[in-house]
Amino acid sequence: MAGITSKTIHDIFQSMEYGPSSSSTATAQAWLESHSRALGLFIDGKFVRSADRQTCNVTDSSGGPVCSTVCAVDEDASLSVSSGASGFKAWSALPCHLRAKTLLRLVSSLQRHGQCLSELCDLAQSPSSPSALVRLLQYYSGWAQLRDSLIPDWTPRGVVVVVVSDDCSLYSLMLKVLPALAMGNAVVAIPGVGTAPPVLLLAQLFVEAGLPAGVLNVVTGSVLSLGSKVAQNPHVSYVTYSGNKKDGEILCRATAGMGVPVSLSLSLGATCPFIIFESADIDSAVDGVIETAFKKNRECQWMLCVQESVWDSVVARLKVRMAGMKSVPLLAEGDRRLVDAAVQEAQQQGATLIQPCPPSSSGAAYPPTVLCGVAPSCTCVVTPSPGPLLPLLSFRSHGEGVTLGNHSPHGQAASIWTEDLTLALEAAKSLSVGAVWVNSHSVMDPSLPISGHKESGNCIDGGKEGLFQFLRPSSSPPLPRSSPASVDYSKFGTAASAAIIPEGSNSSSTPRSYLQYVGGKQCKSESGSSVCVLAPGGGTVLAHCPDGGRKDVRNAVEAAIKVQPGWMKKSPVARAQSLFSLAETLELKRRDMAVSLHSQTGLSLEKADMEVELSIAQLCDWAARCDKEKGGVPSVPQSGSALSIPEALGVVGVVLPDSSPLLSMVSLLAAAVAMGNAVIMVPSPKYPLPALEFIQVLQSSDLPGGVVSIITGGRDQLTQALANHSVIKAIWYWGSMEGCQFLQHTCASPLKSLWLHCQEKDGGRDWAQPHASLQEEMWRQAVQWKSVWIPTA
Amino acid sequence: MSARNPGMPLDLAWVSKVRVNTQAVLKRAQQIQGRNKNKKQWQAAWLLRAVTCIDLTTLAGDDTPGNVHRLCMKATQPVRYDLLKSMDMQDKGVTTAAVCVYPSRVADAVKSLKAANSSLPVASVATGFPAGQTSLKTRLEEVRMAVEDGAMEIDIVINRTLALTGQWEGSDFIKTSTGKESVNATYPVAIVMVRAIRDYFLKTGHKVGFKPAGGIRTAKESLVWLTLMKEELGDEWLSPRLFRLGASSLLADIERQIYHHVTGRYAAYHQMPMA
């Protein structure tokens, strides 16, 4: 400090440098002192501190101690959940307006103590703005007020666990905690090291504002092990995670088989394209790059893509703007080695550097660096290193720019810069990411959903869309809780089906051999073998159906990706027409279908006909919904327009339930296809015939071949095959507990959205009851969300 | 001042390709206004630098040799000597950049400065200020006369009819406005203008200066202007060679802020020598 204070006015007059920014932390320090700088867990409305627990130190940016937090043990974990369970009783019993009132009271409390909170965030190196939190609270108190009137027939899940990784921001954490509370759930929050002190302060403020004890508990410690410890408790009904990919996957695997749905928001560390088209305001675009690309704590890793015609112009401006920039501290000691290696490799591959100053020979800081002219295959693009490095790639045409941006396993967000409105909207539509910022970057508001596409998550936060993760249809039971079984994941679904041997039966009763349906054609399985379908009650062989496997799933996926983009781009009206025609064809074949249902399930012909009738009604329902389900134009505080748009997921794998085999299949097929997806369906191994009979209907419809494929065979074998195909974005599963566990474990990476149902423990849903919330749940499962921000002056 | 911008052939294709995203510029303007949080000696040093960039101006119908003389004397000693001395800046050449007057007062200003043994340049607005709607012949004659009277710098009002019809003129400095318009120097407009300067520099290597004028009255605003130049164009554009603040009452506020820095007390206007 001596060096700084000794600067004379004349020195500064000459150099015109900025002064040091100093901010007071007195309020936060006073609060920490009142806790003797040792923060306990926050359970049942109060701080709890057992003397025998290990502690963890929170440090400030210069490594100095800020305070300590407790490392919770098993006992604390179960205490927090049982407190949550009783908190949930009290909280969910309140009428909506009282929950809303409590959240609003916190707004004024937060405005009063905003200084303390923001100082505490700065101290704990987890920067956050109290005004953004106030906006979150105001937004969600509105939803708390309106839940019953705008989202009827849905109930809160119960005790929800919110887990974040150490590097996750307070905002991302509260973006899950507040909607969970607003919908009437109790929350056990497991913050990272840096977010722990501010979350503990918020929990205290919440209780002061009148939140019943136990509704928000905060347990601190090692995030990963604690997450699964807490989730183990049978009172937990949902786990949601925000943070980096690695920790998310570990959490997913550790909780597989517990019977708790887990969703991941993997925004941190995602590579996001920053695309500058030649029609952009180049200066403003470069301004955006400077503002966001080199920050010490940045949520995403930008990849700068510049159209060749303005390449020189962008590079020249980057040089001017970066000239005075200072080195950025690295987050960890070992990062320097990684940064040096990444820069060296990029240079070896022909990249040139833009740096304000050469890096010091060693030390945990590095100058902001643009790696000009790296190829998409360079390691610094594929697996970005930590530190203030920005890869700069070129593209030739608009189309290539979008392709470059899309060619990544991540799908978090993109920033695009152009003054050409048509280009902006077309690019926004074509980018497979959850958020597109037009001529802007990093804009957020709780009224718009944030949901990563591809490997960036399977969870929707924010907006009305983000509320549904904390709700379930009142008429549908939750996933039954269980303990993880010891499953050999490498062996699951690898057993061969029982071979069929000639039995010498007489020719008059030879069972019929069915074919499966792949890419619009009926075919045998790739293996050529079949399995027996037994008549109801067992005993006689009713038919033979193909014993499909990995190769059949592969063929179906190949066919699906050829037609799905075109199907998705078709006008909703055209999709509706196709579904209506499907309904008409089913009508023509209703007798055949009823007979098939009757002989397969033993259902009376009358009831079977009723099921066909309901299936026709479902097709018509979804045909009608095609052009009705849409996003919106939410009002946001910023000036300009923002859109939230539902998009098809892509290819969806559906492992069908045993119950109501025709109706359930038609309902799920219609929902997925109506929203623009392609489906690969695995009929119930017990009752596959109605699905196979339905192939006739599909064949005479005008659905493009490949939009629907039906593959029969062993449920486990085909589940395994679906799980191991990266193109498949979502799996809707009805099956065994073990299957659920396998999927949760396997679909953590590459990530898929899972909609799991255990047939063993509950009777499953009643497909014949047309609850509006069940259809709503289906269409919400069938889409992913994209937000488009178009700020204007 | 020597002509440092030899110019280039007019390239209207370049002009028409310029894209400005208004909301991004407005956001940038807000960001710049929140950027400078300099305190203590940093604030004092930056304020003194602002002083050296001021074109101390009087452009009133009732200007006389008397008030022009006062202005010139204030320009040579813009901050009280005792205040400068306590900051050890008394011998560092802290004067304003120039005095700026109407053509008819140039001779008075030159005389006053010469008498005070000052080499401070006299700038003059010319060419039918502030509307510029006079004939080219009289405009050129006006410039010639001001130069003959000893003006070193001429602030020209461009013929906006020509500009609006795409027939541009070149210059060493560009100015936000005459200061006599309803809207004068605003930050978003300035950002667009300095980016044009940057654009021209990147293309030709010639450095054009920038002068916001009109409505700049507070010390805080002068700091924002310096920040804007530093952020967008770099430190080189923080000197009077490439940056001027056209102002009349700004200096008084800066001097009061400096008084506060030195003494810890807030000054009344009458404690500072009048311009």
Side-chain angles (χ1 to χ4, degrees):
Chain A
M1 287 304 277
I4 290 169
T5 46
S6 69
K7 287 240 162 81
T8 67
I9 288 181
H10 187 242
D11 293 339
I12 304 163
F13 179 78
Q14 297 281 339
S15 69
M16 285 302 282
E17 67 198 82
Y18 288 122
S21 59
S22 63
S23 50
S24 159
T25 55
T27 324
Q29 300 285 10
W31 182 75
L32 288 169
E33 278 304 327
S34 75
H35 287 269
S36 317
R37 294 194 179 273
L39 302 175
L41 308 171
F42 195 86
I43 297 175
D44 220 31
K46 55 192 178 295
F47 281 96
V48 182
R49 227 187 118 64
S50 304
D52 58 341
R53 302 282 189 270
Q54 287 188 321
T55 59
C56 163
N57 289 319
V58 182
T59 54
D60 63 18
S61 56
S62 54
V66 173
C67 63
S68 70
T69 53
V70 171
C71 295
V73 297
D74 291 17
E75 191 190 328
D76 303 319
S78 80
L79 203 63
S80 70
V81 179
S82 49
S83 156
S86 60
F88 172 65
K89 272 199 195 112
W91 184 239
S92 60
L94 290 179
C96 285
H97 74 273
L98 288 183
R99 275 194 297 272
K101 206 165 141 189
T102 309
L103 293 181
L104 271 183
R105 269 204 298 264
L106 187 67
V107 172
S108 50
S109 167
L110 195 59
Q111 280 162 342
R112 230 176 7 259
H113 300 290
Q115 182 67 22
C116 183
L117 182 74
S118 104
E119 288 177 15
L120 198 58
C121 287
D122 286 347
L123 269 178
Q125 303 186 65
S126 169
S128 177
S129 102
S131 61
L133 292 178
V134 165
R135 164 79 185 137
L136 269 183
L137 271 167
Q138 283 169 336
Y139 180 76
Y140 284 114
S141 72
W143 274 118
Q145 176 80 34
L146 297 173
R147 188 195 75 188
D148 286 354
S149 42
L150 293 186
I151 321 177
D153 303 324
W154 291 73
T155 52
R157 285 183 182 259
V159 180
V160 168
V161 182
V162 178
V163 190
V164 300
S165 62
D166 276 335
D167 39 5
C168 183
S169 70
L170 180 62
Y171 183 87
S172 304
L173 174 75
M174 296 313 283
L175 189 59
K176 288 181 182 289
V177 170
L178 293 176
L181 294 177
M183 292 298 100
N185 300 279
V187 172
V188 176
I190 306 178
V193 177
T195 41
V199 173
L200 287 163
L201 170 65
L202 279 174
Q204 187 189 2
L205 293 178
F206 251 126
V207 169
E208 283 170 13
L211 192 76
V215 178
L216 174 58
N217 294 321
V218 182
V219 285
T220 53
S222 163
V223 167
L224 282 180
S225 59
L226 201 52
S228 54
K229 259 181 219 162
V230 174
Q232 231 164 34
N233 191 299
H235 291 297
V236 169
S237 25
Y238 177 57
V239 176
T240 179
Y241 166 91
S242 188
N244 64 47
K245 191 165 154 50
K246 192 172 111 268
D247 291 0
E249 282 168 14
I250 295 173
L251 179 73
C252 239
R253 296 208 172 100
T255 52
M258 290 180 182
V260 190
V262 180
S263 343
L264 309 178
S265 305
L266 305 177
S267 55
L268 277 175
T271 301
C272 301
F274 195 110
I275 305 176
I276 305 180
F277 292 106
E278 62 183 357
S279 46
D281 171 354
I282 306 284
D283 290 296
S284 292
V286 169
D287 209 40
V289 173
I290 298 291
E291 196 185 357
T292 184
F294 307 113
K295 279 199 279 196
K296 181 185 169 196
N297 295 304
R298 56 185 188 281
E299 299 251 309
C300 61
Q301 175 66 47
W302 292 103
M303 169 177 82
L304 185 54
C305 308
V306 174
Q307 194 159 6
E308 274 178 5
S309 49
V310 289
W311 175 274
D312 291 339
S313 172
V314 168
V315 167
R317 278 161 184 76
L318 281 171
K319 282 181 183 159
V320 172
R321 287 297 308 276
M322 287 171 68
M325 292 178 80
K326 296 202 174 87
S327 288
V328 179
L330 301 174
L331 289 170
E333 286 283 310
D335 284 357
R336 179 58 193 263
R337 200 174 43 79
L338 299 173
V339 173
D340 284 336
V343 171
Q344 198 182 7
E345 198 200 336
Q347 280 181 301
Q348 275 164 2
Q349 297 189 8
T352 54
L353 306 185
I354 305 178
Q355 280 179 331
C357 54
S360 58
S361 56
S362 63
Y366 202 83
T369 302
V370 177
L371 307 164
C372 297
V374 289
S377 58
C378 183
T379 321
C380 69
V381 180
V382 180
T383 47
S385 87
L389 305 185
L390 176 67
L392 170 53
L393 295 82
S394 70
F395 62 88
R396 293 165 297 174
S397 61
H398 296 161
E400 194 177 58
V402 171
T403 309
L404 191 60
N406 274 339
H407 204 82
S408 149
H410 305 286
Q412 181 63 27
S415 171
I416 57 174
W417 294 76
T418 172
E419 293 302 299
D420 179 341
L421 176 68
T422 313
L423 171 61
L425 293 177
E426 280 171 359
K429 202 169 158 192
S430 315
L431 284 163
S432 44
V433 294
V436 179
W437 294 302
V438 177
N439 295 320
S440 55
H441 64 85
S442 325
V443 195
M444 283 197 202
D445 188 74
S447 62
L448 248 73
I450 309 173
S451 71
H453 291 192
K454 297 191 272 191
E455 302 242 329
S456 297
N458 55 12
C459 183
I460 305 160
D461 296 316
K464 183 185 180 186
E465 297 79 9
L467 299 173
F468 289 90
Q469 60 172 316
F470 304 109
L471 295 167
R472 62 177 173 80
S474 312
S475 57
S476 132
L479 198 61
R481 287 299 312 244
S482 59
S483 305
S486 71
V487 174
D488 184 345
Y489 295 108
S490 62
K491 295 266 168 61
F492 181 88
T494 54
S497 310
I500 300 173
I501 47 168
E503 283 174 13
S505 52
N506 69 43
S507 63
S508 68
S509 70
T510 306
R512 181 177 162 192
S513 281
Y514 281 89
L515 293 172
Q516 54 186 13
Y517 189 57
V518 173
K521 291 188 193 73
Q522 285 191 281
C523 58
K524 290 185 186 173
S525 66
E526 279 276 331
S527 66
S529 53
S530 302
V531 285
C532 295
V533 182
L534 302 181
T540 50
V541 174
L542 202 59
H544 289 147
C545 70
D547 185 20
R550 295 175 73 91
K551 300 232 161 128
D552 301 281
V553 167
R554 180 202 62 193
N555 294 348
V557 170
E558 292 303 315
I561 50 180
K562 277 195 196 117
V563 293
Q564 190 270 332
W567 177 245
M568 179 176 73
K569 281 195 194 107
K570 268 198 171 179
S571 76
V573 181
R575 287 204 299 269
Q577 286 301 326
S578 292
L579 284 172
F580 276 128
S581 83
L582 201 60
E584 274 167 29
T585 323
L586 182 56
E587 180 82 56
L588 292 173
K589 306 230 177 201
R590 79 186 286 160
R591 170 109 195 114
D592 294 354
M593 291 305 305
V595 169
S596 157
L597 261 176
H598 163 72
S599 58
Q600 170 77 90
T601 63
L603 206 64
S604 72
L605 266 176
E606 195 186 336
K607 283 194 171 159
D609 187 63
M610 181 78 88
E611 187 171 334
V612 179
E613 177 67 33
L614 285 170
S615 303
I616 295 168
Q618 277 291 317
L619 283 171
C620 294
D621 266 12
W622 285 105
R625 273 176 179 252
C626 279
D627 57 353
K628 308 295 182 299
E629 299 297 9
K630 54 186 176 14
V633 186
S635 40
V636 287
Q638 298 87 342
S639 84
S641 309
L643 315 171
S644 94
I645 306 165
E647 289 182 346
L649 291 161
V651 184
V652 177
V654 186
V655 181
L656 292 161
D658 295 338
S659 60
S660 310
L662 178 70
L663 178 57
S664 60
M665 179 198 66
V666 169
S667 305
L668 294 166
L669 175 150
V673 168
M675 295 303 128
N677 299 289
V679 278
I680 297 170
M681 304 208 290
V682 175
S684 141
K686 203 168 152 197
Y687 302 135
L689 297 191
L692 292 171
E693 196 69 43
F694 189 73
I695 292 174
Q696 309 285 335
V697 179
L698 286 169
Q699 271 198 314
S700 46
S701 77
D702 66 349
L703 275 183
V707 168
V708 179
S709 289
I710 296 176
I711 300 172
T712 54
R715 181 178 260 144
D716 289 354
Q717 284 83 343
L718 290 167
T719 300
Q720 195 259 10
L722 291 172
N724 283 308
H725 203 305
S726 294
V727 169
I728 294 173
K729 296 284 179 58
I731 296 181
W732 302 351
Y733 179 82
W734 275 260
S736 62
M737 206 69 231
E738 197 188 10
C740 291
Q741 177 171 347
F742 168 80
L743 284 173
Q744 284 197 309
H745 186 272
T746 310
C747 298
S749 173
L751 190 67
K752 296 191 197 327
S753 300
L754 296 177
W755 190 25
L756 303 175
H757 308 267
C758 175
Q759 297 200 124
E760 292 157 357
K761 294 210 178 169
D762 67 88
R765 65 175 61 205
D766 183 356
W767 294 94
Q769 287 299 318
H771 285 294
S773 59
L774 293 180
Q775 267 197 1
E776 170 138 37
E777 186 187 25
M778 256 189 261
W779 92 264
R780 289 192 180 276
Q781 289 291 344
V783 296
Q784 57 187 350
W785 290 88
K786 178 187 279 178
S787 313
V788 180
W789 291 85
I790 312 165
T792 54
Chain B
M1 193 173 300
S2 63
R4 57 184 172 218
N5 176 13
M8 61 178 283
L10 184 62
D11 178 4
L12 284 177
W14 184 18
V15 179
S16 65
K17 258 199 284 182
V18 171
R19 295 280 183 281
V20 176
N21 187 274
T22 315
Q23 62 85 22
V25 171
L26 292 176
K27 190 169 156 244
R28 174 69 172 154
Q30 290 224 311
Q31 192 193 25
I32 285 172
Q33 286 174 76
R35 174 74 179 78
N36 192 328
K37 299 214 172 62
N38 280 349
K39 295 273 181 296
K40 299 181 185 155
Q41 66 260 51
W42 280 271
Q43 193 186 35
W46 277 58
L47 286 174
L48 288 174
R49 180 63 84 95
V51 168
T52 66
C53 294
I54 291 177
D55 277 356
L56 196 61
T57 306
T58 181
L59 294 171
D62 56 0
D63 283 342
T64 61
N67 78 315
V68 167
H69 177 71
R70 281 208 309 264
L71 189 81
C72 291
M73 294 307 101
K74 186 68 185 176
T76 55
Q77 184 68 60
V79 179
R80 249 167 56 179
Y81 182 80
D82 59 317
L83 297 178
L84 285 182
K85 188 150 198 293
S86 63
M87 294 182 287
D88 200 21
M89 288 294 290
Q90 72 282 11
D91 51 358
K92 302 297 192 297
V94 177
T95 65
T96 67
V99 290
C100 181
V101 292
Y102 270 124
S104 54
R105 300 272 74 79
V106 169
D108 301 335
V110 170
K111 193 174 145 208
S112 295
L113 287 168
K114 203 168 190 178
N117 207 14
S118 164
S119 59
L120 217 59
V122 174
S124 175
V125 297
T127 68
F129 187 92
Q133 297 282 20
T134 55
S135 71
L136 183 62
K137 193 174 163 199
T138 59
R139 283 148 59 83
L140 287 174
E141 195 51 34
E142 213 184 330
V143 172
R144 248 176 239 123
M145 287 168 71
V147 172
E148 269 168 28
D149 281 351
M152 303 287 286
E153 303 169 4
I154 305 290
D155 284 18
I156 295 171
V157 186
I158 60 163
N159 184 326
R160 276 175 286 177
T161 312
L162 292 180
L164 289 170
T165 53
Q167 306 170 60
W168 290 86
E169 299 166 6
S171 69
D172 291 332
F173 253 86
I174 55 174
K175 203 172 158 177
T176 52
S177 71
T178 58
K180 304 269 183 200
E181 301 290 323
S182 54
V183 177
N184 291 294
T186 66
Y187 303 122
V189 165
I191 287 170
V192 175
M193 291 180 75
V194 299
R195 283 175 177 178
I197 291 175
R198 178 163 74 200
D199 216 3
Y200 187 72
F201 168 65
L202 290 173
K203 194 154 212 167
T204 66
H206 305 315
K207 291 169 187 166
V208 170
F210 181 65
K211 176 175 174 182
I216 305 167
R217 293 196 179 83
T218 66
K220 202 174 164 200
E221 287 169 277
S222 71
L223 295 180
V224 176
W225 283 108
L226 284 171
T227 309
L228 191 151
M229 299 307 285
K230 183 179 170 80
E231 290 278 312
E232 288 290 328
L233 291 173
D235 288 353
E236 206 184 336
W237 266 267
L238 291 177
S239 77
R241 208 175 74 82
L242 290 168
F243 178 59
R244 297 291 174 83
L245 284 158
S248 41
S249 58
L250 168 66
L251 182 57
D253 193 54
I254 292 183
E255 203 179 357
R256 284 174 73 229
Q257 293 303 323
I258 288 173
Y259 177 91
H260 176 248
H261 170 76
V262 172
T263 65
R265 293 192 305 274
Y266 289 102
Y269 279 103
H270 65 252
Q271 286 178 284
M272 303 299 144
M274 177 174 163

